[in-house]
Every structure is written in C-alpha cells, then in structure tokens.
Amino acid sequence: MLFKQPIEKVFAEVKSSPKGLHNGEIDRRLRDFGPNQIAQTKKKDYRIEYLKEYISFFPILLEVAGLLALVAHYFQPGEGNDILAYAVFAAVFINATFTFWQKFKADKAMEALLKLVKSEAMVLRDGETMTIDARDVVPGDILILSEGDKVAADAILFESNDLYLNLSVLNGESTPSLRNLNHGDATRELDAKNMVFAGAAITNGNGLAVVVATGEATEFGKIARMTAEVGKTETPIEKEIKHMTKILTLLALGAGVVFFLLGWFSDRGLLISAIFALSLIVANVPEGLLPTITLSLSLASQRMARRQALIKNLNSVETLGSATVICSDKTGTLTQNEMTVQTAWLPNGCGCSVTGKGYYEDGEWQFTGEPGRSPHESKSTTFPSLQRVLQLAAINTHAQVDFKAKTSFGDPTEIALLVAAQKAQAEFGDWEKVKEYAFSSERKMMSTLVKPAGEYKESLAVKGALEAVLPLCNHWQGDSGLQPLDSDKIAEINRQNEKMAAQAYRVLAIATKVGDGENDLVFVGLLGLMDPPRNGVKEAVAQCYSAHIRVMMITGDNPITARAIGEKVGLKIDEVLTGHDLDHLGDDQLRGKLRDKHLLFARMASAQKLRIAQLLQDNGEVVAMTGDGVNDSPALKKADIGIAMGSGTDVAKESGDMILLDDNFKSIVAAVEEGRTVYFNIKKLTTYILSSNVPEIVPYILSFFLKIPLPLSVIQILLIDLGTDQLPGLGLGSEKPEKHIMKRPPVGKDEKILDREVFKRGYFMNGMFEAGAAMFAFLGFLFLTGWEYGNLDISDEYHRQAMTMTLLGAITCQMANVFTLRSWEDSLWNLQGTNKMIWFGVGTEVFFVLLILYAPPVQTVFNTATVPLEYLWLLIPFPILLLLNHEWYKKRQREKWANYVPA
Ligand code: ATP
C-alpha cells in the first residue's frame, strides 16, 4: 500500500518529484492512464426517445383515429376516409418529429451549458504553478490544494497546513476530517489520513499532494461505477403543465364523449363520430406545450449564459423572475477584485502612498510625512520600516507574480501585497517556510512562520483584519525599537484604521514576532488596499431598485469600508449591521429590520448568511444570494436562488443553482431580466396555443344546435393545432425582454404561469374573437353565395369552400394574435426589434394558406377548395378587432402598473 511508504518511495514509485512532472512526460502518461474522468454511466438512446413519441397516450389516440378511418374506408369506400387516415398518420409523424426535435434541442442546449462548468485543478509541473483542466491530471502530478477545492484525483500529501477534508461523497460522513502526513494505522486507502481523494472537498487549510490514482482507478471512480444514475426530479413548471394537461385532458375526454354520442345519434355514423371525437380530444389537449416550454427555458438559459449567468437547473430561470431581494458579496461582485495597495501607515505616525496602477506598472512609494518631520526626512528614516512591513506582508502569502511575464496567481489581496513590496524593493532574501496558520474568513487573519537563511531564529509574519490582529499585539515598532502598546496608541491605530476605511480602503494590519505562536505580537503597520467598484454596477443597482428588488451587501470586510463602497455603487443604506450585532438580535427583531430597512451587513461570518436567507424567506421574500466560499454553501442551498461565483470554490459551485461566470453583479440583474422575460414568454405562448382551441370547438358545437353544415373538418383542426400554430408559438417563447420588464414588481411567488389571466386572454378574449371570425367567414360566405338557412344538402365543392373560410378565419386571427401577444403589456406599436422566428412562422402560415387555396393535392388532403377572391374580405374584420381589443386590454394593464405602489 503506497500510502504507508515513506514519501521518497512514493515519488520514486510514481516517477515524480516535489517539483512535479516534466511537461514532456504528460502526453505519454495521459496515453497510458487515460483522461482523469469517469465514463458516463448511461447515455440517452435517441432512437428510443424518438420511438417513444409514437407510443404515448395522445399519439395513440390519433393512431386509433387513423385506423378507424381506414376501417371506415373499407366499409364505405369513396368517402375520402382513406385520405383522412393518411393525413392523421402524417399528423402523428409531424408532431412526433417536431416534439422530438424540441426535446433534442433542449437537451443539447443543456449539455452545452454544462460543458461551461469546467473542473480545473492547480498543479505544479516543472516547478511551475499552473491551472489545468481536471481531466488532464495524471499520476505523478503535484496537486496544489486550497480551501474550497474539490480534489481532482487520489493523492498522497507531502505538505499539509490545517487541511480538513469533507469526505461525504465517499463515506457519507459530513464532519470534515483533519489530514496530516501520517497514515495512522489505516489498513485501506479510504482510512489513510495522509491521503486526499477525488471528489472530496477541502473545507479548510491548504497543502501539496502527489497524485497516485486518476479517473476510474480513484476511490470515487470505484463507487461511481457501482451507483446507478440518479433520477431527475420534476421542476414546478413541469408539474404545473402536467397538472394543467390532466385537467384539459379530462375536459377534452368529457367533450369527446359528448360529441361522440351527439354525432352518433344525429346519424353521422359510428366510425366517423369516433374519429371526430378522438381527434377533437387530441387537438384540444396542448400536449406540445411542455416541449415548447422546455425549449424556451433552455433557450433562455443559453441567452443567460451569453450574459455570463450559467443556470444549472432550468427551474431557477423561472424563480429568478420572482426574486425580491438580492444579497450580494462585495469583493469581486460589486467591486473588481483587483486590489492595489495605495496607502500605508506606520505606528510612528508616518503616512505613505504609492503610485502605479495595476499589477505590472512601475510605481514609487512617497511619504506624506509625520508629526515633526518633513516628507523628505520621513523617507530616509521610515523607508526601512515600510520595507519591513511589506516584506512581512509579502512572505505571508500564497500568491505568485511573474513581473517579466506579467502573470500572476492567487488571491488578489495577496498579489497586491507582492506588487507593493516589489515597488519598495522589499526583498526578503532566502527563507524557508516552517509552518502556516491558514487564512479563513472566520479568523480574518493568516500567519506564516519562516526561517531566514543563515539566521538561527524563526520569525512569524502576521496579516489580517485589525480587530483580529491588534488584540494579539502587545508592542509596536517605533523608530528606536519596540514600544509597549498602551491605550493611547491603540486608540490612535483604531482612528487611523477608520480613516482609511472611510475612504473605501480594505485595511490589513501587519504584525510580527520572533518565534512561534499567534500571541505577544509586535504591531508594525497598516496597509490600505483599493478595490474599485466594477463598471456598470451602479446602473445595475439602480435598475434593481426600479424593478422593486432590494439589494443588500453582505461582506466580511470592515463596516466602514463596506459602507463607503456601498455608497459608491448607489446602495440604499438605512443601517449597517455587523456579525456581532446580529448575534445580539433576536429572530423577531432581525426579521423586523429585514422587512423595514435597507440593511448592509459587514464583518459577517458565512454561517450568518444562512440565518439572513431564512429570515428573509419567513418575511415572504424570494431570495437570491451570492457566495463563493465553502462555508457559503448552506446559505446558497437555502436561498431560493443560490448564486455561486465562477471564480469561487467548487463546493460553492456545486451548491448554487446558478454560476456567475464573470462574478459580476451586473450579470445577476441580467439574469433576473431574462427570468422575468421567460416567465412572460411562456404565458404568451400558452395563451396563443389555447386561443385556437375556441374556433375549433365552437363551430362544431353550433353545428349541432343550428341547422348548418359542419363548419370545420377533423383534419383541419389537426392542421391548426399540429401545423400552423407550432412555429409562431415557438417564436413567442423566444421573444426579447419587454421594455418595462424591469420597471414592474417581481413576479409573485405564488403567481402561477398558467393562471386565470392566461385562460382569460386565451379562451375568453382572443379565443372568442377567433370563434367569431371562423363563424363570420363561414356563414358570411354561405349567405353571400345564396345559401338558405337550414339547407344541409349542399355540394361537396361548395361545402369545402365554406370550410376553407372557417379554417382561414381561425388562421388569420392567429396571425394577428401572435403579433399582439409579442408583448404581455406593451403596445405592439412600441415594440423594438423584430422576432425572426415569428416572421418565419407567419411566412409558413401564408404559404400554407396559398396551398390550401390553390394547390389541388393539398386541397384533397385538407378538404379545402379555392374561394373566389371577392369573398376574402370576410377574413379581415375579426383579426383587426382581436388586435384592437387586446391592445386596449394591455393599455389598461399598463395603467394599472403605472399606478402600482409596492406594499
Ligand atoms: P466579501 O465577503 O465581500 O468577499 P471580503 O473579501 O472582505 O468580503 P473575506 O475574504 O472573508 O471577506 O475577508 C475578511 C477580512 O479578512 C478582510 O476584510 C481582511 O481584513 C481579511 N483578509 C482578507 N484576505 C486576507 C488574507 N489573504 N490574509 C489575511 N487577511 C485577509
């Protein structure tokens, strides 16, 4: 067992060294060991998926209808039932293919998105640190492990600083376990304390380890092969649509039975009545809705990905539209996370500042002087002290900067320290790292014990938040040696800290001591780092407020710095609460503040985010919460939408519903906009699809009660539902955001997509106009051509002409419908841009209309005939009425929102 061997032997065994593999070696190892991935257990067989489209409930109904038509043809040839049968089969084929295509496209869109969630690993190769695709890790590679990483492969540790591993994916144990360099008395790999395992998460500390197994040879690989694929859970929208489909199916079945009986008793013949009833059922159940909605959700998530927000689960697209509060981190989300040290203060009272922007620009330290000394004098006396401060800061980091190649690695705060040290030529000389007290957001500090070359004693370099570091100090570094830290000096240091924080600087306190232990430290200075707000964040924050969304900053930084940054980006701040304040507030009090005030949270521990999410939810808010660290993951899971930073830890990314590829607050707002858009697009397309059911049913019902010929045939109903409606419907699903979408309040949490409004607009408003259109065209044509009421004995050609008018009445209304539905609230005339998919859909409808009117083979299939042009004006009034009515209705809606005052 390799983990029991001395580390030198392990290196010999995997033919590697602490500096890592040679680059030339990698390809050979990748060939020998294969990529570091676990083969997917099960792939969808799309041939079977396609076949399934023919054997579910609704296609089977149609197939039965087709077979019945064939039977009817057998007994009574020459009545066109054979053509009906083939047309019904064709409808089954077209519908199955279209539905399959939509599902396939949605799947592919999701796959493409998931590919963006790359797993990376930091390794050492040829002595150089590099970030590589986790799939390229090979045995012998050196993994550089830090807090929040998901381990890429099984590896044996040879350096470990406070390293804790969460092994829950492997053994279900969620308490992190400490790793060190001893294997203990383990008898198998999984129990070895000196090993880390693929898939496990590092919850604390850092370390170096040499890879001994990759891909399926890892412990995780062995388990993964055993476990079957986990079942997919249904999203609420899927449930909602299935529920709605069920109700509509029952209604349609009921109506089908009634129509069947009516038809049979009114001598339409048993078979014909059955075919009609079955087709009516199929036509009235919007079974194509689910794939259309799934596709429009995945298209929305693709659009979001283009705007840097990666949705992991489609359901969150919808939830985003309902977000009422965004709780955002500060560093990197509202700010650029590009730190530069800009000022320093030394305890002798001397202030300094440094020029040169960015990491690689040259710069120079300047002295603003101190009481009793000119800047020039100060420079000569204090420069060595400043250099010492910067030396201590620079050795106490994990970052790396290559000034020549202009590349850098690591935490931006730490990179900034290296750059500042370089600008002061503060070289530390050769030294050896003895030990590290790792940084954590909870401790807010970090220390490194080093042994300078040639020196006998070790020194400890300490950096961190002032309130974490200062209580551990008992001396300060004066020009003439160590001075005891009295209350006056403490007050002076605190004043200076506040002054820097009020100017939006992130302040780091630097301390040191000879020897080990984070106590009895010597305070040596303060460094002020600037992290400017991101471009566009101010506008995005303003947009949130106008969209009735509150924004709360939750940061680990100092309250004064946090407020200063908050004000810069335009946050409304009624009160700043610190983590300490929070501990002293009861749930009821805090809930009250969260309800009534614009709050900003500073010096927060990650665990407190969970409480905030919970209390906000108790208040009925829909919470979007950002996070990047390991400890953020409970809050990310709790929030309605957990938003992990793209640069954040793997653990946070796994817990979030959405990953912000560029960490930018602006992208959250863009995602909210898309979420709201897709919510309304689904409403629009559902309304559109429901509308055309009315002109299909009403004429049929009327034909029972009035003495008129049948206005619409089965195949014509199928033509509308499974033919002409599909493409424009899809177009509505991909409509662009509406102009006022970020001016209205969030979508209510309990507001269903398929609510009364959809049924009202679909069935009762637009649908009724369409039924009116169909009957107006049908009866208008009959009366204008001399038909007498009650005459059912008309020629086949004449009947076909009249039915063509009904069909065209419905189709032309759907054309007007699709245009006015492009916006749920805005006027059609104010819409910007066009929707190509809708134009394409309407174009195909026009083409179909021409075929119906003038192409004899098409006419044979769809029971239509050429109608003289002089009657076509009958098709004009109702689409216009539908359009005007819906536009008027939207105007009233807009007035309602204009006067909306949030509760
Ligand atoms: P946010 O929560 O918005 O990301 P943050 O980055 O300030 O804010 P943390 O990273 O938790 O939050 O840092 C908390 C505090 O710890 C900082 O204000 C700083 O004083 C200190 N700190 C940050 N980085 C380091 C570091 N690398 N070494 C030592 N102390 C640090």
Side-chain angles (χ1 to χ4, degrees), residues 178-205:
L178 180 65
R179 303 277 112 178
N180 50 40
L181 303 188
N182 300 320
H183 54 74
D185 48 9
T187 52
R188 54 175 198 150
E189 270 85 359
L190 259 184
D191 299 328
K193 293 277 181 225
N194 60 341
M195 280 193 77
V196 292
F197 302 97
I202 297 181
T203 56
N204 192 64

PDB file of all heavy atoms in Angstrom, residues 178-205:
ATOM      1  N   LEU A 178      -9.446  15.931   9.668  1.00  0.00           N
ATOM      2  CA  LEU A 178      -8.127  16.566   9.571  1.00  0.00           C
ATOM      3  C   LEU A 178      -7.163  15.652   8.831  1.00  0.00           C
ATOM      4  O   LEU A 178      -7.132  14.436   9.052  1.00  0.00           O
ATOM      5  CB  LEU A 178      -7.600  16.852  10.980  1.00  0.00           C
ATOM      6  CG  LEU A 178      -6.226  17.508  11.047  1.00  0.00           C
ATOM      7  CD1 LEU A 178      -6.254  18.911  10.447  1.00  0.00           C
ATOM      8  CD2 LEU A 178      -5.724  17.572  12.488  1.00  0.00           C
ATOM      9  N   ARG A 179      -6.375  16.218   7.939  1.00  0.00           N
ATOM     10  CA  ARG A 179      -5.360  15.457   7.211  1.00  0.00           C
ATOM     11  C   ARG A 179      -3.980  15.850   7.709  1.00  0.00           C
ATOM     12  O   ARG A 179      -3.756  17.020   8.062  1.00  0.00           O
ATOM     13  CB  ARG A 179      -5.424  15.780   5.708  1.00  0.00           C
ATOM     14  CG  ARG A 179      -6.754  15.535   5.078  1.00  0.00           C
ATOM     15  CD  ARG A 179      -6.937  14.102   4.709  1.00  0.00           C
ATOM     16  NE  ARG A 179      -7.961  13.480   5.532  1.00  0.00           N
ATOM     17  CZ  ARG A 179      -8.343  12.211   5.389  1.00  0.00           C
ATOM     18  NH1 ARG A 179      -7.771  11.435   4.483  1.00  0.00           N
ATOM     19  NH2 ARG A 179      -9.267  11.704   6.155  1.00  0.00           N
ATOM     20  N   ASN A 180      -3.071  14.906   7.771  1.00  0.00           N
ATOM     21  CA  ASN A 180      -1.691  15.261   8.083  1.00  0.00           C
ATOM     22  C   ASN A 180      -0.770  14.330   7.317  1.00  0.00           C
ATOM     23  O   ASN A 180      -1.208  13.674   6.369  1.00  0.00           O
ATOM     24  CB  ASN A 180      -1.454  15.208   9.594  1.00  0.00           C
ATOM     25  CG  ASN A 180      -1.946  13.893  10.161  1.00  0.00           C
ATOM     26  OD1 ASN A 180      -1.754  12.852   9.533  1.00  0.00           O
ATOM     27  ND2 ASN A 180      -2.604  13.943  11.316  1.00  0.00           N
ATOM     28  N   LEU A 181       0.479  14.259   7.736  1.00  0.00           N
ATOM     29  CA  LEU A 181       1.390  13.472   6.907  1.00  0.00           C
ATOM     30  C   LEU A 181       1.540  12.040   7.418  1.00  0.00           C
ATOM     31  O   LEU A 181       2.334  11.257   6.894  1.00  0.00           O
ATOM     32  CB  LEU A 181       2.750  14.167   6.824  1.00  0.00           C
ATOM     33  CG  LEU A 181       2.684  15.607   6.284  1.00  0.00           C
ATOM     34  CD1 LEU A 181       4.083  16.175   6.049  1.00  0.00           C
ATOM     35  CD2 LEU A 181       1.882  15.699   4.988  1.00  0.00           C
ATOM     36  N   ASN A 182       0.764  11.671   8.443  1.00  0.00           N
ATOM     37  CA  ASN A 182       0.844  10.298   8.951  1.00  0.00           C
ATOM     38  C   ASN A 182      -0.364   9.495   8.524  1.00  0.00           C
ATOM     39  O   ASN A 182      -1.486   9.966   8.635  1.00  0.00           O
ATOM     40  CB  ASN A 182       0.872  10.302  10.485  1.00  0.00           C
ATOM     41  CG  ASN A 182       2.070  11.067  10.970  1.00  0.00           C
ATOM     42  OD1 ASN A 182       3.150  10.947  10.389  1.00  0.00           O
ATOM     43  ND2 ASN A 182       1.865  11.879  12.000  1.00  0.00           N
ATOM     44  N   HIS A 183      -0.095   8.275   8.112  1.00  0.00           N
ATOM     45  CA  HIS A 183      -1.236   7.481   7.645  1.00  0.00           C
ATOM     46  C   HIS A 183      -2.007   6.864   8.801  1.00  0.00           C
ATOM     47  O   HIS A 183      -3.073   6.306   8.621  1.00  0.00           O
ATOM     48  CB  HIS A 183      -0.776   6.403   6.656  1.00  0.00           C
ATOM     49  CG  HIS A 183       0.314   5.534   7.183  1.00  0.00           C
ATOM     50  ND1 HIS A 183       0.093   4.571   8.119  1.00  0.00           N
ATOM     51  CD2 HIS A 183       1.634   5.508   6.901  1.00  0.00           C
ATOM     52  CE1 HIS A 183       1.243   3.970   8.389  1.00  0.00           C
ATOM     53  NE2 HIS A 183       2.189   4.522   7.666  1.00  0.00           N
ATOM     54  N   GLY A 184      -1.482   6.973  10.033  1.00  0.00           N
ATOM     55  CA  GLY A 184      -2.148   6.364  11.186  1.00  0.00           C
ATOM     56  C   GLY A 184      -2.062   4.854  11.064  1.00  0.00           C
ATOM     57  O   GLY A 184      -1.106   4.325  10.490  1.00  0.00           O
ATOM     58  N   ASP A 185      -3.073   4.177  11.574  1.00  0.00           N
ATOM     59  CA  ASP A 185      -2.991   2.719  11.481  1.00  0.00           C
ATOM     60  C   ASP A 185      -3.960   2.194  10.408  1.00  0.00           C
ATOM     61  O   ASP A 185      -4.530   1.123  10.525  1.00  0.00           O
ATOM     62  CB  ASP A 185      -3.276   2.077  12.846  1.00  0.00           C
ATOM     63  CG  ASP A 185      -4.536   2.683  13.462  1.00  0.00           C
ATOM     64  OD1 ASP A 185      -5.222   3.450  12.738  1.00  0.00           O
ATOM     65  OD2 ASP A 185      -4.822   2.394  14.638  1.00  0.00           O
ATOM     66  N   ALA A 186      -4.131   3.005   9.363  1.00  0.00           N
ATOM     67  CA  ALA A 186      -5.091   2.636   8.322  1.00  0.00           C
ATOM     68  C   ALA A 186      -4.671   1.355   7.607  1.00  0.00           C
ATOM     69  O   ALA A 186      -3.484   1.106   7.410  1.00  0.00           O
ATOM     70  CB  ALA A 186      -5.192   3.760   7.307  1.00  0.00           C
ATOM     71  N   THR A 187      -5.680   0.564   7.256  1.00  0.00           N
ATOM     72  CA  THR A 187      -5.371  -0.660   6.508  1.00  0.00           C
ATOM     73  C   THR A 187      -5.883  -0.570   5.073  1.00  0.00           C
ATOM     74  O   THR A 187      -5.675  -1.430   4.268  1.00  0.00           O
ATOM     75  CB  THR A 187      -6.016  -1.882   7.192  1.00  0.00           C
ATOM     76  OG1 THR A 187      -7.400  -1.568   7.375  1.00  0.00           O
ATOM     77  CG2 THR A 187      -5.369  -2.180   8.518  1.00  0.00           C
ATOM     78  N   ARG A 188      -6.641   0.496   4.787  1.00  0.00           N
ATOM     79  CA  ARG A 188      -7.072   0.705   3.403  1.00  0.00           C
ATOM     80  C   ARG A 188      -6.995   2.191   3.083  1.00  0.00           C
ATOM     81  O   ARG A 188      -7.019   3.035   3.999  1.00  0.00           O
ATOM     82  CB  ARG A 188      -8.490   0.177   3.171  1.00  0.00           C
ATOM     83  CG  ARG A 188      -9.470   0.762   4.145  1.00  0.00           C
ATOM     84  CD  ARG A 188     -10.879   0.357   3.871  1.00  0.00           C
ATOM     85  NE  ARG A 188     -11.737   1.291   4.583  1.00  0.00           N
ATOM     86  CZ  ARG A 188     -12.925   1.657   4.219  1.00  0.00           C
ATOM     87  NH1 ARG A 188     -13.444   1.179   3.116  1.00  0.00           N
ATOM     88  NH2 ARG A 188     -13.644   2.498   4.918  1.00  0.00           N
ATOM     89  N   GLU A 189      -6.933   2.481   1.776  1.00  0.00           N
ATOM     90  CA  GLU A 189      -6.732   3.863   1.331  1.00  0.00           C
ATOM     91  C   GLU A 189      -7.706   4.837   2.008  1.00  0.00           C
ATOM     92  O   GLU A 189      -7.304   5.873   2.527  1.00  0.00           O
ATOM     93  CB  GLU A 189      -6.929   3.984  -0.192  1.00  0.00           C
ATOM     94  CG  GLU A 189      -5.675   3.784  -1.008  1.00  0.00           C
ATOM     95  CD  GLU A 189      -5.413   2.316  -1.276  1.00  0.00           C
ATOM     96  OE1 GLU A 189      -6.219   1.481  -0.805  1.00  0.00           O
ATOM     97  OE2 GLU A 189      -4.397   1.997  -1.924  1.00  0.00           O
ATOM     98  N   LEU A 190      -8.988   4.483   1.976  1.00  0.00           N
ATOM     99  CA  LEU A 190     -10.008   5.431   2.445  1.00  0.00           C
ATOM    100  C   LEU A 190      -9.801   5.895   3.875  1.00  0.00           C
ATOM    101  O   LEU A 190     -10.268   6.966   4.263  1.00  0.00           O
ATOM    102  CB  LEU A 190     -11.393   4.803   2.311  1.00  0.00           C
ATOM    103  CG  LEU A 190     -12.220   5.249   1.109  1.00  0.00           C
ATOM    104  CD1 LEU A 190     -13.599   4.626   1.160  1.00  0.00           C
ATOM    105  CD2 LEU A 190     -12.333   6.767   1.038  1.00  0.00           C
ATOM    106  N   ASP A 191      -9.107   5.080   4.682  1.00  0.00           N
ATOM    107  CA  ASP A 191      -8.890   5.479   6.078  1.00  0.00           C
ATOM    108  C   ASP A 191      -7.569   6.209   6.285  1.00  0.00           C
ATOM    109  O   ASP A 191      -7.274   6.651   7.384  1.00  0.00           O
ATOM    110  CB  ASP A 191      -8.921   4.231   6.983  1.00  0.00           C
ATOM    111  CG  ASP A 191     -10.270   3.543   6.895  1.00  0.00           C
ATOM    112  OD1 ASP A 191     -11.264   4.259   6.697  1.00  0.00           O
ATOM    113  OD2 ASP A 191     -10.316   2.302   6.997  1.00  0.00           O
ATOM    114  N   ALA A 192      -6.770   6.311   5.234  1.00  0.00           N
ATOM    115  CA  ALA A 192      -5.438   6.906   5.402  1.00  0.00           C
ATOM    116  C   ALA A 192      -5.538   8.415   5.561  1.00  0.00           C
ATOM    117  O   ALA A 192      -6.104   9.105   4.714  1.00  0.00           O
ATOM    118  CB  ALA A 192      -4.576   6.566   4.190  1.00  0.00           C
ATOM    119  N   LYS A 193      -5.012   8.904   6.690  1.00  0.00           N
ATOM    120  CA  LYS A 193      -5.114  10.338   6.995  1.00  0.00           C
ATOM    121  C   LYS A 193      -4.184  11.173   6.115  1.00  0.00           C
ATOM    122  O   LYS A 193      -4.288  12.388   6.074  1.00  0.00           O
ATOM    123  CB  LYS A 193      -4.737  10.596   8.459  1.00  0.00           C
ATOM    124  CG  LYS A 193      -5.727  10.002   9.427  1.00  0.00           C
ATOM    125  CD  LYS A 193      -6.906  10.934   9.611  1.00  0.00           C
ATOM    126  CE  LYS A 193      -7.895  10.373  10.591  1.00  0.00           C
ATOM    127  NZ  LYS A 193      -9.264  10.482  10.160  1.00  0.00           N
ATOM    128  N   ASN A 194      -3.198  10.513   5.475  1.00  0.00           N
ATOM    129  CA  ASN A 194      -2.271  11.287   4.649  1.00  0.00           C
ATOM    130  C   ASN A 194      -2.696  11.295   3.188  1.00  0.00           C
ATOM    131  O   ASN A 194      -1.910  11.595   2.300  1.00  0.00           O
ATOM    132  CB  ASN A 194      -0.846  10.737   4.771  1.00  0.00           C
ATOM    133  CG  ASN A 194      -0.752   9.293   4.329  1.00  0.00           C
ATOM    134  OD1 ASN A 194      -1.771   8.595   4.258  1.00  0.00           O
ATOM    135  ND2 ASN A 194       0.453   8.830   4.013  1.00  0.00           N
ATOM    136  N   MET A 195      -3.960  10.921   2.953  1.00  0.00           N
ATOM    137  CA  MET A 195      -4.415  10.939   1.558  1.00  0.00           C
ATOM    138  C   MET A 195      -5.597  11.892   1.370  1.00  0.00           C
ATOM    139  O   MET A 195      -6.384  12.130   2.279  1.00  0.00           O
ATOM    140  CB  MET A 195      -4.849   9.536   1.127  1.00  0.00           C
ATOM    141  CG  MET A 195      -3.684   8.650   0.753  1.00  0.00           C
ATOM    142  SD  MET A 195      -4.245   7.163  -0.102  1.00  0.00           S
ATOM    143  CE  MET A 195      -4.616   7.780  -1.744  1.00  0.00           C
ATOM    144  N   VAL A 196      -5.703  12.430   0.157  1.00  0.00           N
ATOM    145  CA  VAL A 196      -6.914  13.160  -0.249  1.00  0.00           C
ATOM    146  C   VAL A 196      -7.501  12.409  -1.444  1.00  0.00           C
ATOM    147  O   VAL A 196      -6.774  11.722  -2.159  1.00  0.00           O
ATOM    148  CB  VAL A 196      -6.613  14.626  -0.633  1.00  0.00           C
ATOM    149  CG1 VAL A 196      -6.198  15.423   0.575  1.00  0.00           C
ATOM    150  CG2 VAL A 196      -5.556  14.699  -1.717  1.00  0.00           C
ATOM    151  N   PHE A 197      -8.816  12.551  -1.625  1.00  0.00           N
ATOM    152  CA  PHE A 197      -9.484  11.714  -2.626  1.00  0.00           C
ATOM    153  C   PHE A 197     -10.278  12.525  -3.639  1.00  0.00           C
ATOM    154  O   PHE A 197     -10.891  13.540  -3.276  1.00  0.00           O
ATOM    155  CB  PHE A 197     -10.423  10.731  -1.917  1.00  0.00           C
ATOM    156  CG  PHE A 197      -9.702   9.863  -0.941  1.00  0.00           C
ATOM    157  CD1 PHE A 197      -9.681  10.196   0.404  1.00  0.00           C
ATOM    158  CD2 PHE A 197      -9.005   8.746  -1.378  1.00  0.00           C
ATOM    159  CE1 PHE A 197      -8.986   9.421   1.313  1.00  0.00           C
ATOM    160  CE2 PHE A 197      -8.305   7.961  -0.469  1.00  0.00           C
ATOM    161  CZ  PHE A 197      -8.294   8.300   0.882  1.00  0.00           C
ATOM    162  N   ALA A 198     -10.279  12.025  -4.855  1.00  0.00           N
ATOM    163  CA  ALA A 198     -11.037  12.690  -5.923  1.00  0.00           C
ATOM    164  C   ALA A 198     -12.489  12.883  -5.486  1.00  0.00           C
ATOM    165  O   ALA A 198     -13.082  11.972  -4.916  1.00  0.00           O
ATOM    166  CB  ALA A 198     -10.989  11.853  -7.192  1.00  0.00           C
ATOM    167  N   GLY A 199     -13.036  14.051  -5.728  1.00  0.00           N
ATOM    168  CA  GLY A 199     -14.453  14.303  -5.428  1.00  0.00           C
ATOM    169  C   GLY A 199     -14.669  14.876  -4.040  1.00  0.00           C
ATOM    170  O   GLY A 199     -15.688  15.498  -3.769  1.00  0.00           O
ATOM    171  N   ALA A 200     -13.696  14.687  -3.121  1.00  0.00           N
ATOM    172  CA  ALA A 200     -13.851  15.218  -1.763  1.00  0.00           C
ATOM    173  C   ALA A 200     -13.536  16.714  -1.786  1.00  0.00           C
ATOM    174  O   ALA A 200     -12.837  17.191  -2.674  1.00  0.00           O
ATOM    175  CB  ALA A 200     -12.922  14.503  -0.807  1.00  0.00           C
ATOM    176  N   ALA A 201     -14.077  17.439  -0.797  1.00  0.00           N
ATOM    177  CA  ALA A 201     -13.879  18.891  -0.803  1.00  0.00           C
ATOM    178  C   ALA A 201     -12.973  19.302   0.343  1.00  0.00           C
ATOM    179  O   ALA A 201     -13.075  18.766   1.449  1.00  0.00           O
ATOM    180  CB  ALA A 201     -15.214  19.581  -0.654  1.00  0.00           C
ATOM    181  N   ILE A 202     -12.102  20.263   0.064  1.00  0.00           N
ATOM    182  CA  ILE A 202     -11.230  20.773   1.120  1.00  0.00           C
ATOM    183  C   ILE A 202     -11.963  21.911   1.816  1.00  0.00           C
ATOM    184  O   ILE A 202     -12.297  22.914   1.190  1.00  0.00           O
ATOM    185  CB  ILE A 202      -9.910  21.253   0.523  1.00  0.00           C
ATOM    186  CG1 ILE A 202      -9.255  20.028  -0.088  1.00  0.00           C
ATOM    187  CG2 ILE A 202      -9.027  21.896   1.581  1.00  0.00           C
ATOM    188  CD1 ILE A 202      -7.958  20.247  -0.699  1.00  0.00           C
ATOM    189  N   THR A 203     -12.255  21.720   3.086  1.00  0.00           N
ATOM    190  CA  THR A 203     -13.067  22.735   3.772  1.00  0.00           C
ATOM    191  C   THR A 203     -12.197  23.743   4.492  1.00  0.00           C
ATOM    192  O   THR A 203     -12.678  24.801   4.875  1.00  0.00           O
ATOM    193  CB  THR A 203     -14.014  22.085   4.793  1.00  0.00           C
ATOM    194  OG1 THR A 203     -13.223  21.307   5.684  1.00  0.00           O
ATOM    195  CG2 THR A 203     -15.025  21.191   4.123  1.00  0.00           C
ATOM    196  N   ASN A 204     -10.930  23.428   4.680  1.00  0.00           N
ATOM    197  CA  ASN A 204     -10.065  24.374   5.389  1.00  0.00           C
ATOM    198  C   ASN A 204      -8.606  24.072   5.062  1.00  0.00           C
ATOM    199  O   ASN A 204      -8.258  22.930   4.761  1.00  0.00           O
ATOM    200  CB  ASN A 204     -10.288  24.217   6.895  1.00  0.00           C
ATOM    201  CG  ASN A 204      -9.657  25.352   7.660  1.00  0.00           C
ATOM    202  OD1 ASN A 204     -10.077  26.490   7.491  1.00  0.00           O
ATOM    203  ND2 ASN A 204      -8.644  25.053   8.436  1.00  0.00           N
ATOM    204  N   GLY A 205      -7.770  25.102   5.115  1.00  0.00           N
ATOM    205  CA  GLY A 205      -6.340  24.900   5.014  1.00  0.00           C
ATOM    206  C   GLY A 205      -5.852  24.704   3.601  1.00  0.00           C
ATOM    207  O   GLY A 205      -6.568  24.938   2.634  1.00  0.00           O
TER     208      GLY A 205
END
